[in-house]
């Protein structure tokens, strides 16, 4: 009887090519799409178990918030409601996605402790799981955008599909945040409340409730905010303003840096996560 072949990873061979192992591990996580898609869908169902409206409760609360804020701030900024309401609606829907990706990203691996300890699968599936379940919530919230754009007479037409590449970049950043913040958050539990507080502050310094043009000569303060560009590459096409090429270039650079940092962390730290949990 022949002995089955066994592939052994020793420390020396692993350390000699850590980036190759990380790429193979990430590719394996991506191939397990059925697993993380199912887990993300189950997360959404479990969160709203026994609820009549389910995830639409998030949509309803966001719609009420946007309606009250849009009318009040339109009067405060002295702009027509039909001009301001679509702007703030798209901005808040995208901000709710960014906020969730940052906050849930910091808890990517701590929230999946049982699965990581019991299931022999790459930990990268949990980063993909976070992004997928928030994409499901975004699909529900998109109903608000469609209603507001139609009510305010905004017709982006085919040009509105130019928002899809921007959304793809935003989701790629979500994967990067989930990996980097998730790994650091697994080691240092202070990261989660720190991110939660920082996210609240970032809402007020990012052009979501106000427009970058309102800063006048100080618009540079908005331009230096990478979150502004990630939002603008999706919001501008939906509002019929075309693709902001400058913001798109900045978003590409930010995405590359974000994913590069995430890959570096994933290469060095993914082996330790199970011991930190």
């Amino acid at each position: 009887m022949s002995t089955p072949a066994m592939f052994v990873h020793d420390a020396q061979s692993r350390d000699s090519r850590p980036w190759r192992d990380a790429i193979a591990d990430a590719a394996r996580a991506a191939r397990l799409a059925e697993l993380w898609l199912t887990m993300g869908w189950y997360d959404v169902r479990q969160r709203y178990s026994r609820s009549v409206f389910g995830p639409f409760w998030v949509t309803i609360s966001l719609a009420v918030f946007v309606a009250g804020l849009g009318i009040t701030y339109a009067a405060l900024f002295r702009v027509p409601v039909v001009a301001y309401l679509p702007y703030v609606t798209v901005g808040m829907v995208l901000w709710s996605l960014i906020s969730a990706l940052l906050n849930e990203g910091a808890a990517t691996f701590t929230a999946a402790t049982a699965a990581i300890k019991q299931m022999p699968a790459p930990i990268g599936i949990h980063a993909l799981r976070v992004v997928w379940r928030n994409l499901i919530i975004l699909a529900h919230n998109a109903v608000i955008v469609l209603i507001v754009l139609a009510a305010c007479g905004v017709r982006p037409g085919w040009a509105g599909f130019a928002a899809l590449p921007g959304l793809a970049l935003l989701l790629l950043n979500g994967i990067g945040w989930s990996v980097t913040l998730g790994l650091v958050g697994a080691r240092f539990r202070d990261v989660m409340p720190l991110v939660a507080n920082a996210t609240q502050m970032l809402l007020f310094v990012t052009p979501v409730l106000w427009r970058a043009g309102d800063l006048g000569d100080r618009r540079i303060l908005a331009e230096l905010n990478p979150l502004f560009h990630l939002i603008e590459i999706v919001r501008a096409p939906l509002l019929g303003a075309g693709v902001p090429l400058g913001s798109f270039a900045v978003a590409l650079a930010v995405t590359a840096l974000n994913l590069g940092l995430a890959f570096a962390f994933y290469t060095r730290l993914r082996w330790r996560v199970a011991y930190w949990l």
Side-chain angles (χ1 to χ4, degrees):
M1 180 181 298
S2 61
T3 304
M6 181 178 296
F7 181 76
V8 179
H9 256 318
D10 58 29
Q12 183 177 1
S13 66
R14 188 179 70 191
D15 291 340
S16 65
R17 55 179 191 275
W19 60 272
R20 292 184 182 178
D21 292 337
I23 291 175
D25 194 72
R28 182 170 170 240
R31 288 196 298 270
L32 292 172
E34 184 176 357
L35 177 59
W36 51 265
L37 288 173
T38 302
M39 294 174 74
W41 183 261
Y42 179 78
D43 287 341
V44 176
R45 293 190 59 182
Q46 188 70 12
R47 184 181 300 179
Y48 299 101
S49 178
R50 300 181 184 276
S51 172
V52 175
F53 293 103
F56 278 107
W57 274 118
V58 177
T59 305
I60 294 170
S61 62
L62 186 59
V64 173
F65 176 79
V66 165
L69 193 73
I71 296 172
T72 303
Y73 274 45
L76 182 64
F77 294 142
R78 298 183 180 182
V79 295
V81 174
V82 293
Y84 180 73
L85 190 57
Y87 179 89
V88 74
T89 299
V90 178
M92 280 305 303
V93 168
L94 292 174
W95 183 259
S96 66
L97 172 64
I98 292 173
S99 176
L101 289 174
L102 287 171
N103 285 291
E104 294 182 23
T108 296
F109 304 117
T110 55
T113 298
I116 290 174
K117 289 184 176 181
Q118 299 175 13
M119 184 170 56
I123 64 169
I125 65 170
H126 301 291
L128 296 170
R129 171 186 179 184
V130 168
V131 175
W132 166 240
R133 71 169 176 250
N134 282 291
L135 183 59
I136 296 174
I137 300 299
L138 176 66
H140 289 83
N141 292 340
V143 175
I144 307 174
V145 175
L146 296 176
I147 293 174
V148 170
L149 292 183
C152 295
V154 179
R155 303 287 188 270
W158 291 104
F161 286 100
L164 293 179
L167 179 60
L169 287 180
L170 182 52
L171 295 177
L172 285 175
N173 278 275
I175 295 175
W177 294 331
S178 296
V179 172
T180 303
L181 294 176
L183 288 170
V184 178
R187 177 64 180 85
F188 303 102
R189 301 306 169 89
D190 293 328
V191 169
M192 286 176 278
L194 178 63
V195 171
N197 283 283
T199 304
Q200 292 180 352
M201 181 271 295
L202 285 171
L203 171 61
F204 299 103
V205 298
T206 304
V208 176
L209 307 178
W210 47 275
R211 296 171 297 183
D214 295 335
L215 294 177
D217 295 338
R218 299 183 181 181
R219 181 186 172 92
I220 187 65
L221 296 175
E223 299 287 351
L224 292 175
N225 187 341
L227 295 180
F228 162 64
H229 299 287
L230 290 174
I231 292 173
E232 194 64 13
I233 58 177
V234 181
R235 177 170 54 192
L238 290 177
L239 298 181
V243 180
L245 297 180
S247 290
F248 203 87
V250 173
L252 282 173
V254 169
T255 303
L257 289 173
N258 190 0
L259 293 179
L261 181 63
F263 181 73
F265 273 73
Y266 193 73
T267 300
R268 300 299 302 174
L269 301 178
R270 73 184 189 281
W271 308 100
R272 306 178 186 180
V273 170
Y275 300 99
W276 290 338
L277 299 177

